[in-house]
Amino acid sequence: MHEKDASVGKRVDLANATAPGKVILFGEHAVVYGRPAIAVPVTIVQATAAVAAAAAGSGCTISAPDVGVRIRLPSAPDNPLALAVRLALAAAGVDAEPDWNISVSSTIPIAGGMGSGAAVSAVLARAVLASAPTFRGCPDAETVNRIVYAVERIHHATPSGIDNTVVVYEQPVWFVRGRPPEIFDIAKPFHLVIADTGIASPTGQVVADVRAARQKDAARYDAIFDAIGAIAERAKRIIASGKLETLGFLMRENQRLLRQLEVSAPSLERLIESAEDAGAAGAKLSGGGRGGNLIAVVKREKIGLVREALLAEGAARAIVTQVGG
Ligand code: MEV
């Protein structure tokens, strides 16, 4: 992780780090209320961070040129990037502001349900921990996960913890809030087409809306959460056994329940329909919903058709990823 370069005037990175995006296969929203969910990393999109030594006395600057952000660490008490850095410095036992330039970038769509915020916090935490002279060795996942979860709480008050867990552990996870995450094997790989509606939808707002709606009708909402949890249980069994015939059906069922939670949107529905019409076995929104990304489970021979159909229907981007294998 450490790179050394003795040449004068050249930027010397103390450390750099990467983290993947993620998609939730089954169980979003219900997972906030203690039901199980399944999420997998998506390595085709990534966040990266680099920490470079700066001139003595210049302090710590964080820049994210892609989104036009440049902040000085002490002057940004509420900024999530600055919080990730501050928490990592504290975990490494560094009290004084270091003279560092930290840069961060990401190809994960922002507010798209693919874990962009968690991945950015993860790379900042890792790169800062690895750069701290007081910290020996590779940052452990548990410390990084704790930091990322704390930052996630800025974005929304009640994160389940699934986003930070899958992004930090970079493995498929079976997640139940408050329990240690279970990393599980995918018996037989399968393909997803991930399509972006192009509509940014901050998760925190959607989670808050679901919470408000549940307060008015807890019995109905809890029944929907139970049904989503039961789908996640069935999905786990079939993914672990490799008998994937009903995976698409379970996605369609999960989406039907997400509609009942009122977290879908016309843009998502149009794209889901076009993916299924083009031969996807099933499709659903992934993450907070109301925009962001959807996932479609697709047999290898249908990938091209489904991708084309999604782009023709107006998807801002359609990427293909293999789960497992
Ligand atoms: C967001 O990726 C998933 C939600 O279930 C929120 C959470 O789990 O914190 C909508």
Side-chain angles (χ1 to χ4, degrees):
M1 188 168 273
H2 287 258
E3 278 173 28
K4 295 237 153 51
D5 188 331
S7 54
V8 179
K10 204 166 170 193
R11 196 182 96 153
V12 180
D13 282 353
L14 297 171
N16 43 50
T18 63
K22 69 96 201 1
V23 288
I24 295 186
L25 297 183
F26 296 95
E28 52 272 273
H29 287 291
V31 69
V32 175
Y33 298 87
R35 276 51 163 203
I38 301 172
V40 295
V42 178
T43 50
I44 195 171
V45 286
Q46 290 214 320
T48 58
V51 175
S58 60
C60 184
T61 303
I62 308 164
S63 53
D66 305 347
V67 285
V69 168
R70 189 178 163 80
I71 44 179
R72 302 259 310 108
L73 185 62
S75 62
D78 301 326
N79 183 283
L81 307 184
L83 179 62
V85 170
R86 265 200 304 277
L87 291 173
L89 288 171
V94 175
D95 298 328
E97 182 186 351
D99 296 323
W100 287 347
N101 289 327
I102 305 176
S103 58
V104 58
S105 65
S106 171
T107 56
I108 308 168
I110 295 170
M114 288 189 70
S116 143
V120 164
S121 303
V123 292
L124 285 170
R126 275 194 195 128
V128 165
L129 284 166
S131 301
T134 47
F135 198 86
R136 298 265 174 269
C138 221
D140 63 286
E142 224 170 281
T143 304
V144 176
N145 202 23
R146 186 171 45 72
I147 293 169
V148 180
Y149 182 73
V151 182
E152 286 289 282
R153 297 196 60 176
I154 285 195
H155 297 298
H156 71 105
T158 56
S160 63
I162 190 168
D163 287 13
N164 46 289
T165 301
V166 68
V167 158
V168 169
Y169 287 88
E170 302 186 42
Q171 300 276 350
V173 291
W174 169 254
F175 186 87
V176 181
R177 189 172 188 168
R179 292 198 210 147
E182 228 178 90
I183 309 293
F184 75 102
D185 285 335
I186 311 285
K188 189 169 161 202
F190 55 93
H191 291 93
L192 296 177
V193 179
I194 305 171
D196 194 341
T197 59
I199 297 169
S201 173
T203 301
Q205 185 55 54
V206 191
V207 171
D209 290 350
V210 171
R211 181 170 301 282
R214 180 179 176 269
Q215 266 158 13
K216 292 192 194 126
D217 194 350
R220 185 171 111 78
Y221 273 73
D222 287 348
I224 299 172
F225 296 148
D226 284 343
I228 292 176
I231 287 175
E233 300 266 5
R234 283 177 68 186
K236 184 192 185 199
R237 279 198 296 276
I238 67 169
I239 293 171
S241 72
K243 294 183 182 139
L244 300 173
E245 294 75 17
T246 52
L247 196 60
F249 165 76
L250 293 180
M251 283 211 172
R252 292 197 300 273
E253 281 300 290
N254 196 157
Q255 176 62 19
R256 187 177 60 76
L257 293 160
L258 287 163
R259 254 175 232 134
Q260 291 178 15
L261 292 179
E262 296 185 11
V263 297
S264 194
S267 56
L268 284 162
E269 292 299 328
R270 268 198 308 278
L271 292 176
I272 287 169
E273 195 181 331
S274 73
E276 290 175 352
D277 286 351
K284 62 179 273 294
L285 68 84
S286 182
R290 297 259 172 85
N293 281 265
L294 63 103
I295 54 174
V297 62
V298 184
K299 287 215 169 92
R300 189 189 291 272
E301 59 276 17
K302 296 274 174 71
I303 289 174
L305 279 176
V306 170
R307 227 186 129 250
E308 274 163 33
L310 284 161
L311 292 170
E313 192 58 47
R317 167 158 87 160
I319 56 177
V320 180
T321 189
Q322 178 174 310
V323 179

